[in-house]
Amino acid sequence: MKGRRVFILRLDHRPKRDKRATTHLFLAARALGADGGFYSGEKDEKIQKSVEKVTEAWGGDFKVSYVTDWKRKIMEWKAEGGEVVHLTMYGLPLQHVIGRIRSIQGDLLVVVGGPKVSGSVYKLADWNVSVTSQPHSEISALALFLHELFEGRELSISFKDARIIIVPQKRGKKVLRLDLQGRE
């Protein structure tokens, strides 16, 4: 499924208000095929530790890093040949642009807002994309965007270094807990 890398940039995190939303955003990103994430706003090491703990148990190498200057991060991303997709309800409809976004060869930085998003984000982004033109969460927008980007292949991701694996069941729960050698 991988070729290009996909990273998420969460703007203006506020620990008291956004703790769960930002953590859930990164957990959704990890589960749905993104390679890593960045966040700006207030530094909150609890987010980084929560995501790290999940990744350690469930597999993969998804990491979250804090950036002090989101604008510089976007400009560096673009200078290194990557493209920037900003998820906003004011952008072009996802279904109209996803084919062109899929054809991008370089890495993608998917920007999701927090509180009021600066007009600079709209200008810096290569793509301003709306999942719908209705109010909804950045988590749902990101999940739908990644699903469309990866054309559903992300639903079958398996992490080789996982220590916890869910075995799908019609009823009940079956959870495998593996040691470091991959044995139950």
Side-chain angles (χ1 to χ4, degrees):
M1 186 168 93
K2 292 293 178 195
R4 82 174 141 259
R5 296 176 314 148
V6 178
F7 283 79
I8 312 309
L9 172 58
R10 167 74 154 110
L11 300 177
D12 299 325
H13 171 70
R14 302 161 296 178
K16 287 184 179 162
R17 187 159 193 266
D18 301 331
K19 174 178 66 172
R20 289 179 53 107
T22 300
T23 301
H24 290 173
L25 179 86
F26 287 129
L27 292 178
R30 179 200 157 274
L32 297 173
D35 295 283
F38 308 100
Y39 71 99
S40 70
E42 294 178 51
K43 189 169 187 176
D44 185 352
E45 292 180 8
K46 290 179 184 176
I47 288 172
Q48 293 167 254
K49 287 178 182 168
S50 291
V51 173
E52 194 174 288
K53 199 171 168 183
V54 168
T55 301
E56 193 175 294
W58 293 85
D61 58 3
F62 190 96
K63 289 190 181 9
V64 174
S65 302
Y66 175 73
V67 295
T68 55
D69 185 341
W70 60 262
K71 192 181 285 190
R72 182 176 344 143
K73 183 66 183 172
I74 291 173
M75 291 189 304
E76 288 171 356
W77 191 270
K78 292 176 71 142
E80 293 172 10
E83 291 203 32
V84 176
V85 176
H86 172 220
L87 298 180
T88 171
M89 61 189 252
Y90 304 105
L92 296 173
L94 174 64
Q95 63 273 28
H96 296 167
V97 297
I98 192 63
R100 287 183 280 163
I101 293 171
R102 272 191 214 114
S103 70
I104 295 168
Q105 298 299 309
D107 294 340
L108 293 178
L109 181 64
V110 181
V111 179
V112 294
K116 185 169 171 47
V117 174
S118 165
S120 301
V121 177
Y122 293 86
K123 292 175 185 156
L124 288 168
D126 298 295
W127 303 87
N128 287 295
V129 177
S130 67
V131 171
T132 74
S133 294
Q134 296 293 315
H136 60 95
S137 80
E138 59 271 23
I139 300 164
S140 63
L142 178 65
L144 287 165
F145 174 80
L146 292 173
H147 180 67
E148 290 296 319
L149 179 67
F150 296 131
E151 299 179 277
R153 293 186 306 278
E154 79 288 352
L155 298 176
S156 300
I157 291 174
S158 82
F159 297 100
K160 293 182 184 359
D161 58 343
R163 293 188 299 162
I164 300 174
I165 298 171
I166 301 295
V167 178
Q169 304 286 305
K170 184 174 181 176
R171 289 189 179 80
K173 299 176 184 178
K174 184 170 184 180
V175 179
L176 299 180
R177 297 186 188 281
L178 308 173
D179 65 20
L180 296 176
Q181 285 75 40
R183 296 182 303 250
E184 284 186 74

